[in-house]
């Protein structure tokens, strides 16, 4: 179906948030800051099925000063102490936590954690907030990404973006916290397109078909409602990738199916469900890429953005090693990282390499040309 036809059709349809050593709360003078060298951990052998959480990781609701944000996966891990419960984590901690909790494969985890650190963290101190701005994360050395402290992954642009499943677009509403109304909409799609289960009932199993229809509906809604919608190659694929995360990482590892009570536990309560097992094999970028293609190809929405007149304008092809890599890691990250020196520079290089590796691309230094 062509995009314009898809948009018309859908217009018709519409007429219907541990233990680590933290730096002090105020930013010390840059000259006094001591960087933390990032060391990429080796690939772990602990990648089989296992019950999660274990006894060492009970649920505890976050306290008022604990950071939580737009990623239900990271929020859940922090609520169980797989990540520091204050929501401030290092690159290495994130890689370990997503393997422990969800069996996310090492290089995929490295790419996401590396990108998050470069986009919205402090790569000099190896700290990123899984929520918003934190007094524990000071301005970058030399203020090379501006005078404000890094915003955390909840900050709109670079990583957090439009057409999420359970968060609104930043220009429309709350882009950080779980939104009941959007989740109810997802449940409607499960009711309509989901599979039956003898245990959880008819139309209670979340399938690819559910995500194909729901993700398209979410695009159509936001394309109409959000005058500044941005759905460029990076965000476009991340957005479909998050739907593939739901299917592949939230499903119970015992039988690979995802029921609505289990999905609700992650999205609504940000806690691991009872009798839940992580997936039986590491989920890597190939698996998620296949999921992206399957979901997006049902109703293709190519990369683009809304023009001031409300029309969705498609982007020109990028013709790089990977459009997604180029848009995310080259166009979306600040060119001023070229001014980093010493430990800071070593960390930037390590993180850029982690992102490029997952895409099988050579490192291309950021240009920040997208300006978001
Ligand atoms: C490895 C490190 C990870 C990082 C840095 C990360 C970061 C993020 C960010 C910034 C968002 C917001 C994007 C948006 O605007 O929608 C997000 C959303 C999401 N993440 Fe993560 N994430 C990570 C791991 C995971 C894992 C392991 C899972 C699943 C087990 C997961 C599941 C999701 C889902 C389902 C969404 C979409 C929420 C929605 O659309 O309502 N993430 N993540």
């Amino acid at each position: 179906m062509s995009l314009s036809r898809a948009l018309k059709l859908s217009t018709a349809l519409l007429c219907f948030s541990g233990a680590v050593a933290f730096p002090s709360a105020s930013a010390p003078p840059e000259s006094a800051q001591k960087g933390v060298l990032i060391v990429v951990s080796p690939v772990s052998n602990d990648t089989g099925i296992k019950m999660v959480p274990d006894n060492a990781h009970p649920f505890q609701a976050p306290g008022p000063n604990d950071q939580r944000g737009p990623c239900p996966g990271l929020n859940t891990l922090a609520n169980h102490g797989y990540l520091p419960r204050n929501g401030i984590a290092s690159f290495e901690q994130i890689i370990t936590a997503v393997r422990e909790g969800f069996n996310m494969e090492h290089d995929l985890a490295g790419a996401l954690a590396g990108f998050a650190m470069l986009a919205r963290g402090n790569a000099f101190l190896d700290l990123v907030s899984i929520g918003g701005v934190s007094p524990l994360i000071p301005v970058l050395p030399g203020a090379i990404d501006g005078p404000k402290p890094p915003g955390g992954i909840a900050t709109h642009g670079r990583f957090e973006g439009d057409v999420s499943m359970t968060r609104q677009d930043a220009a429309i509403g709350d882009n950080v916290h779980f939104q009941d109304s959007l989740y109810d909409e997802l449940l409607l799609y499960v009711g309509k397109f989901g599979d039956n289960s003898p245990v959880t009932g008819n139309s209670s199993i979340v399938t690819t078909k559910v995500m194909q229809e729901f993700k398209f509906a979410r695009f159509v809604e936001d394309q109409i409602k959000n005058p500044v919608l941005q759905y460029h190659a990076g965000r476009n694929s991340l957005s479909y990738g998050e739907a593939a995360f739901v299917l592949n990482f939230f499903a119970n590892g015992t039988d690979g199916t995802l029921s609505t009570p289990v999905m609700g536990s992650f999205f609504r309560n940000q806690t691991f469900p009872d009798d839940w097992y992580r997936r039986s094999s590491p989920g890597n970028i190939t698996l998620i890429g296949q999921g992206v293609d399957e979901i997006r190809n049902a109703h293709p929405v190519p990369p683009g953005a809304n023009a001031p007149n409300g029309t969705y304008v498609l982007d020109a092809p990028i013709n790089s090693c990977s459009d997604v890599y180029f848009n995310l890691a080259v166009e979306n990250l600040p060119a001023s990282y070229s001014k980093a020196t010493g430990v800071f520079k070593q960390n930037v290089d390590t993180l850029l390499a982690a992102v490029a590796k997952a895409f099988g691309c050579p490192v291309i230094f950021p240009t920040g040309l997208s300006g978001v």
Side-chain angles (χ1 to χ4, degrees), residues 43-52 54 82 96-106 248-249 251-254 272 276-283:
V43 177
S44 170
N45 292 325
D46 173 28
T47 56
I49 191 165
K50 70 176 173 190
M51 199 184 217
V52 180
D54 58 22
Y82 284 102
T96 302
V98 296
R99 173 182 52 77
E100 281 284 336
F102 292 108
N103 214 352
M104 180 179 275
E105 184 267 342
H106 183 269
N248 289 286
F249 290 116
N252 199 323
T254 48
F272 287 100
W276 188 87
Y277 291 72
R278 70 178 189 187
R279 51 177 297 113
S280 58
S281 64

Side-chain angles (χ1 to χ4, degrees), residues 70-74 94 98 102 104 109 112-113 116 153 159-161 164-167 235 242 245-246 249-250 267:
C71 176
L74 297 181
I94 294 174
V98 296
F102 292 108
M104 180 179 275
L112 287 167
I153 65 168
F159 201 151
E160 195 290 319
S164 306
M165 289 172 282
T166 64
R167 273 72 174 165
R235 176 58 201 158
E242 287 153 17
F245 282 8
V246 171
F249 290 116
F250 288 167
F267 269 120

Side-chain angles (χ1 to χ4, degrees), residues 190-269:
V190 187
K192 204 163 167 189
F193 299 107
D195 283 350
N196 301 334
S197 153
V199 182
T200 48
N202 288 348
S203 306
S204 67
I205 300 295
V206 191
T207 59
T208 299
K209 173 78 177 158
V210 169
M211 287 303 180
Q212 289 172 334
E213 302 306 320
F214 176 61
K215 281 300 292 182
F216 184 59
R218 288 288 300 116
F219 168 75
V220 171
E221 287 163 14
D222 288 354
Q223 197 281 320
I224 291 164
K225 285 193 204 152
N226 181 358
V228 292
L229 177 104
Q230 305 265 307
Y231 213 36
H232 301 297
R235 176 58 201 158
N236 185 303
S237 281
L238 279 179
S239 147
Y240 287 100
E242 287 153 17
F245 282 8
V246 171
L247 294 171
N248 289 286
F249 290 116
F250 288 167
N252 199 323
T254 48
D255 61 3
T257 66
L258 175 63
S259 65
T260 44
V262 166
M263 184 169 73
S265 178
F266 287 116
F267 269 120
R268 273 191 196 288
N269 305 325

Side-chain angles (χ1 to χ4, degrees), residues 233 303 315-327 331 361-362 364:
D315 291 340
I318 293 174
N319 296 325
S320 171
C321 166
S322 151
D323 285 12
V324 177
Y325 165 74
F326 193 86
N327 180 235
E331 295 182 318
C361 290
I364 308 172

